[in-house]
Amino acid sequence: MNDTALRHIGRYCPELSTLNLQNCSRVSDEGLIPVCRGCHKLQSMSVSSCTLLTDALLTALGNNCLRLRILEVAGCSQLSDAGFQVLARNCHELEKMDLEECIQITDSTLLQLSLHCPRLQVLSLSHCELITDEGIQHLGHGACAHDRLHVLELDNCPLVTDRSLEHLQACTSLQRVELYDCQQITRAGIKRLRAHLPDIKIHAYFAPNTPPQANPQPRPRICRCCLIL
């Protein structure tokens, strides 16, 4: 699949509603922007691991595909807050977004989603290392928080702390949270969240403590082979 093929799709397939180009690493904005302009009924787009894509695609989606419900852009590391701002302000029907490894996005993107995307149900922010508690606070007070947001993936977000879990207490419909390798999350914070949302599933990992040796032996100064000799 390449940009030439996509330009033909944009020109001749105006009824297209779903497009999955995951791992099609040769496609770029030059092919997908014509799709956005020609396929206004598009509801689902998956372009994960299409690393050539930029904010120009998000702008084209926001300006043309107002019915978009599902967007998967995992691994598209050139996407930034500027593009997601245009997308969120125009695509109010978004329900599922996979933003894993969109490493440039910050709390600003979460602010726009909280303000303009009231139907958001599933959001993956795994490996989005610039996300902080402030961004999660925006989600917790956003339009989707009380009766929409079901799944939130935050694994490998090193700046997220127990404060984020406090903000999520307002998300009464939340069913699952991923917290693997969030090093500032504690068991105590998870316990407090479960006290407010008893049915929630929380996936986290805590490295076991290394037990001290009972009677540590002095290390030999020569190797075992020398002892045998």
Side-chain angles (χ1 to χ4, degrees):
M1 178 61 70
N2 56 31
D3 290 336
T4 300
L6 289 176
R7 284 192 285 268
H8 289 301
I9 290 174
R11 183 174 182 182
Y12 297 112
C13 303
E15 301 296 318
L16 186 69
S17 63
T18 301
L19 181 62
N20 188 337
L21 296 169
Q22 185 173 349
N23 292 312
C24 294
S25 57
R26 296 170 60 192
V27 303
S28 71
D29 298 335
E30 293 185 9
L32 279 168
I33 289 176
V35 171
C36 298
R37 291 173 176 170
C39 305
H40 296 281
K41 297 182 180 181
L42 198 65
Q43 297 184 31
S44 175
M45 175 179 284
S46 177
V47 288
S48 295
S49 300
C50 297
T51 56
L52 300 179
L53 302 177
T54 72
D55 286 340
L57 169 63
L58 299 180
T59 300
L61 282 170
N63 290 335
N64 296 279
C65 303
L66 307 186
R67 300 182 186 180
L68 192 67
R69 294 187 300 107
I70 298 173
L71 178 64
E72 298 177 353
V73 289
C76 297
S77 58
Q78 297 191 62
L79 305 183
S80 72
D81 292 333
F84 284 110
Q85 177 176 321
V86 177
L87 181 79
R89 289 184 175 181
N90 293 283
C91 298
H92 305 302
E93 298 185 15
L94 280 166
E95 296 177 359
K96 177 183 178 182
M97 298 184 71
D98 185 353
L99 310 185
E100 180 175 353
E101 294 184 341
C102 291
I103 57 176
Q104 294 192 50
I105 66 171
T106 70
D107 297 333
S108 177
T109 288
L110 300 190
L111 173 61
Q112 298 303 319
L113 294 178
S114 69
L115 292 174
H116 304 295
C117 299
R119 300 186 180 185
L120 194 60
Q121 299 177 25
V122 179
L123 178 61
S124 176
L125 299 169
S126 303
H127 294 272
C128 295
E129 298 185 355
L130 301 180
I131 298 298
T132 73
D133 296 333
E134 182 179 351
I136 305 305
Q137 181 179 14
H138 294 320
L139 283 181
H141 292 84
C144 64
H146 296 290
D147 58 357
R148 290 285 183 175
L149 190 62
H150 294 161
V151 176
L152 181 61
E153 298 179 354
L154 294 171
D155 41 295
N156 290 279
C157 292
L159 302 181
V160 169
T161 75
D162 286 348
R163 291 285 303 276
S164 287
L165 303 188
E166 295 174 7
H167 299 316
L168 293 179
Q169 293 175 6
C171 302
T172 55
S173 62
L174 200 58
Q175 299 174 5
R176 176 168 60 87
V177 179
E178 303 285 343
L179 297 170
Y180 291 114
D181 292 320
C182 292
Q183 298 178 6
Q184 299 194 64
I185 296 292
T186 68
R187 288 184 174 89
I190 291 176
K191 184 177 181 180
R192 288 192 293 269
L193 179 59
R194 282 193 170 131
H196 285 80
L197 304 174
D199 296 326
I200 194 173
K201 294 181 179 179
I202 301 176
H203 298 156
Y205 173 77
F206 298 94
N209 293 326
T210 303
Q213 295 182 2
N215 295 305
Q217 299 295 324
R219 297 180 62 183
R221 297 186 178 182
I222 53 178
C223 69
R224 180 175 173 82
C225 296
C226 294
L227 285 174
I228 294 174
L229 292 173

